[in-house]
């Protein structure tokens, strides 16, 4: 048996954990420089606030309904996610954390231990609520895809109270028949449109397809999904957990940028993030993709990108920052209102398979980078960095409605009244 | 999870009187030591730290500016010092489940009756409180 446990509107729910004043109020969370709504709590959902819409479009609606608006407080969410995952992990010996708010559990040999999955699901829900004040939904199924379907039912379909179980033909049919195929794990909107043309509308209809035909028509992923919907386990965590093959850091600016120092500072900061991620997974990159652009809504759209080829694969922030400096003059153009920039490390190789080259000496300084990472881990992100990453702070994101970092900064710990 | 600074590693480094020569034999053991988290926090995932304001709990030894360590996993019994969400505020009181009341430790303050029209959620049990006998600069900014 598999379970998928995930938080209900995680970001919005997390905002309520240490702010009792907004527990019973509608709350939405913005992301991407406060440009877009990314989480809507159930109370706000009842007011028909759309998720994933631009903020400016719903701003008036939010004001009319006294909806509490917050910027994404990633420090808080990461800490609450850790706590939530750790509590969920107590209920099973095999846990796979799939995203910041979703966790799979694989129950093998629990048949005699857990008598009733429904009751067990409620125990998980109650415990997570009690210990972290985060609401979660729990779905059980014989495959990860069916567990995900049950989880969808638990939270979205009427007649379920936060827990749903698929453990026989009747329960599988009852849930899949009421589910749009676009809500099936791994299908998504675009694929669902094509399926609809073939008259496949519900998850149940998708489950009736021949897996081999689906493979020919679409891909091996869809074939596996169909098999999983029929109770055949095809997914393997090791497939999912693989090291990332590309690492990107990109972001749009809070306000448009004109000056070259500001743009360069932003690029160096992206390089810093990519370098750190590369070292964390012990990868090296052969190519660095560097780009900057104006907004596509500008009259004249400007975009310049460069693919920088290293003579030796690297994960050294200094080496990558030099690459940025080398191509920067070609990317920057005075007068352009820059909206977005970023870097991407492509063609990654493992550190351990690194071969040395007689004619191109290695420029990396692993000791220095190790020291840099150690200092930043110990004293906080950005404590030590390249001087060129600190020349300008205009590149930072807008978080105008940010809540305090209740669990990660002393001066932000919650106040408790004794009067 | 980790409470950052509350992790107090006692580091046995001896002062070496400015003489160069033999390295302190203790240098190899700097990572050892006791942790306050380990001693004081039974359920790290369910515990948070808040700061107290007000004088209604002085009789149980909770003063303005004390740190309250709140454990959400602990089962609350009558008489426990607890933190609750009462109408949108975190309050620290003594629990009286039997009479659906929250009591202050100080007799000056009246008991608070919880009625169905109140928003009430039990947050957790105050398993310990910490008094700073010298003001910590980190905490100074959270004082009301």
């Amino acid at each position: 048996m598999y379970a998928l446990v995930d938080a209900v509107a995680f970001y919005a729910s997390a905002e309520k954990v240490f702010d009792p004043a907004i527990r019973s109020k509608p709350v939405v969370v913005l992301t991407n420089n406060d440009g877009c709504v990314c989480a809507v709590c159930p109370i706000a959902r009842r007011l028909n606030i759309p998720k994933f819409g631009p903020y400016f479009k719903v701003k008036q609606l939010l004001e009319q309904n006294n909806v509490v608006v917050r910027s994404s407080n990633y420090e808080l969410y990461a800490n609450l996610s850790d706590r939530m995952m750790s509590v969920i992990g107590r209920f099973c010996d095999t846990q796979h954390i799939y995203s910041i708010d979703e966790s799979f559990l694989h129950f093998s040999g629990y048949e005699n231990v857990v008598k009733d999955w429904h009751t067990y699901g409620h125990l998980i829900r109650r415990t997570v609520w009690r210990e972290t004040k985060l609401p979660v939904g729990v779905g059980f199924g014989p495959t990860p895809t069916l567990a995900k379907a049950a989880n969808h039912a638990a939270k979205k379909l009427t007649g379920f109270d936060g827990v749903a179980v698929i453990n026989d033909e009747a329960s599988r049919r009852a849930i899949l028949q009421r589910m749009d195929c676009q809500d099936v794990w791994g299908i998504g909107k675009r694929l669902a449109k094509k399926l609809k043309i073939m008259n496949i509308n519900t998850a149940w209809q998708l489950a009736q397809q021949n897996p081999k035909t689906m493979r020919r028509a679409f891909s091996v992923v869809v074939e596996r999904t169909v098999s999983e919907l029929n109770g055949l386990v095809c997914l393997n965590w090791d497939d999912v957990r693989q090291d990332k093959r590309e690492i990107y850091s990109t972001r749009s600016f809070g306000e448009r940028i004109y000056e070259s120092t500001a743009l360069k500072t932003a690029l160096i900061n992206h390089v810093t993030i990519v370098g750190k991620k590369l070292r964390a997974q012990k990868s090296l990159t052969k190519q660095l993709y560097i780009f900057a652009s104006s907004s596509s809504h500008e009259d004249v759209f400007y975009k310049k990108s460069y693919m920088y080829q290293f003579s030796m694969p690297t994960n050294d922030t200094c080496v990558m920052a030099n690459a940025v400096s080398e191509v920067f003059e070609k990317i920057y153009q005075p007068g352009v209102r820059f909206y977005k920039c970023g870097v991407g490390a492509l063609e990654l190789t493992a550190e351990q398979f690194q071969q040395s080259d007689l004619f191109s000496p290695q420029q990396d300084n692993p000791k220095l980078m190790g020291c840099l990472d150690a200092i930043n881990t110990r004293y906080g992100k950005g404590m030590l960095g390249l001087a060129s990453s600190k020349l300008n702070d205009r590149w930072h994101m807008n978080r105008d409605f940010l809540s305090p970092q209740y669990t990660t900064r002393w001066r932000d710990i919650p106040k408790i009244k004794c009067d | 999870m980790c409470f950052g600074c509350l992790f107090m590693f006692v580091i046995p480094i001896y002062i070496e009187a400015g003489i160069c020569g033999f390295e302190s034999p203790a240098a190899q053991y700097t990572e050892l030591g006791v942790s306050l988290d380990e001693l004081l926090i039974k359920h790290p995932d369910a515990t948070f730290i808040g700061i107290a304001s007000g004088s209604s709990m002085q009789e149980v030894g909770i003063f303005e500016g004390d740190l309250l360590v709140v454990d959400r996993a602990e089962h609350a019994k009558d008489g426990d010092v607890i933190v609750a969400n009462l109408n949108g505020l975190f309050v620290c009181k003594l629990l009286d489940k039997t009479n659906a009341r929250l009591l202050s430790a100080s007799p000056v303050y009246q008991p608070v009756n919880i009625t169905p029209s109140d928003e009430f959620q039990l947050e957790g049990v105050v398993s310990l409180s910490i008094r700073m006998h010298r003001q910590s600069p980190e905490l100074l900014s959270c004082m009301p």
Side-chain angles (χ1 to χ4, degrees), chain B residues 21-37:
Chain B
F22 290 111
E23 205 186 329
S24 158
Q28 296 172 38
Y29 304 111
T30 47
E31 277 293 291
L32 295 178
V34 295
S35 142
L36 273 180
D37 269 24

Side-chain angles (χ1 to χ4, degrees), chain A residues 277-288:
Chain A
K277 287 187 177 169
L278 281 172
R279 294 191 294 276
Q281 67 168 41
K282 300 195 188 323
S283 293
L284 301 164
T285 181
K286 275 209 88 161
Q287 302 197 50
L288 199 64

Side-chain angles (χ1 to χ4, degrees), chain A residues 39-57:
Chain A
V40 178
C41 84
I43 302 170
R45 209 179 292 150
R46 268 177 252 138
L47 299 168
N48 287 324
I49 312 281
K51 196 178 159 185
F52 298 128
Y55 174 48
F56 76 89
K57 278 196 181 166

Side-chain angles (χ1 to χ4, degrees), chain A residues 29-246:
Chain A
V29 176
L30 308 178
T31 182
N32 208 350
N33 280 314
D34 288 344
C36 174
V37 175
C38 71
V40 178
C41 84
I43 302 170
R45 209 179 292 150
R46 268 177 252 138
L47 299 168
N48 287 324
I49 312 281
K51 196 178 159 185
F52 298 128
Y55 174 48
F56 76 89
K57 278 196 181 166
V58 289
K59 199 172 171 187
Q60 213 174 1
L61 180 68
L62 299 176
E63 275 166 15
Q64 279 161 5
N65 288 290
N66 293 316
V67 177
V68 177
V69 177
R70 290 283 162 85
S71 307
S72 296
N73 186 342
Y74 300 108
E75 293 82 356
L76 176 70
Y77 308 154
N79 182 263
L80 290 180
S81 168
D82 283 352
R83 291 164 175 239
M84 179 178 90
M85 293 309 177
S86 163
V87 174
I88 294 168
R90 294 212 304 263
F91 290 89
C92 184
D93 52 3
T94 314
Q95 179 183 28
H96 174 73
I97 295 169
Y98 180 64
S99 72
I100 190 163
D101 72 330
E102 294 172 289
S103 166
F104 281 100
L105 301 174
H106 180 200
F107 298 93
S108 147
Y110 279 66
E111 294 75 18
N112 298 319
V113 189
V114 179
K115 292 277 175 261
D116 178 3
W117 291 106
H118 205 265
T119 314
Y120 199 62
H122 277 291
L123 181 66
I124 297 176
R125 245 169 84 80
R126 263 203 319 277
T127 311
V128 176
W129 171 254
R130 206 170 99 109
E131 299 195 9
T132 65
K133 287 286 181 277
L134 289 166
V136 292
V138 186
F140 290 97
T143 68
T145 306
L146 284 172
K148 182 109 175 158
N151 177 285
H152 173 84
K155 295 195 304 183
K156 300 275 163 69
L157 300 185
T158 49
F160 292 94
D161 48 359
V163 177
V165 183
I166 294 178
N167 56 354
D168 54 21
E169 192 53 25
S171 54
R172 185 171 75 99
R173 192 183 183 125
I175 287 173
L176 294 188
Q177 280 184 336
R178 290 174 63 194
M179 228 177 123
D180 197 300
C181 65
Q182 121 177 7
D183 295 323
V184 172
W185 193 26
I187 295 298
K189 264 187 193 158
R190 211 182 292 171
L191 210 52
K193 271 188 193 153
K194 290 185 196 159
L195 289 168
K196 268 175 196 155
I197 297 167
M198 299 167 72
N199 224 358
I200 302 167
N201 296 301
T202 66
W204 180 252
Q205 286 167 336
L206 181 61
Q208 305 310 308
Q209 304 305 310
N210 181 334
K212 294 280 170 258
T213 322
M214 294 319 267
R215 181 185 190 145
R216 272 195 300 274
F218 299 100
S219 67
V220 65
V221 182
V222 181
E223 178 195 13
R224 281 183 190 170
T225 302
V226 172
S227 302
E228 284 239 334
L229 286 175
N230 287 295
L232 191 71
V233 177
C234 303
L235 283 163
N236 180 347
W237 300 141
D238 296 332
D239 302 340
V240 191
R241 215 185 273 166
Q242 247 176 17
D243 278 344
K244 286 191 182 151
R245 287 188 204 133
E246 296 171 350

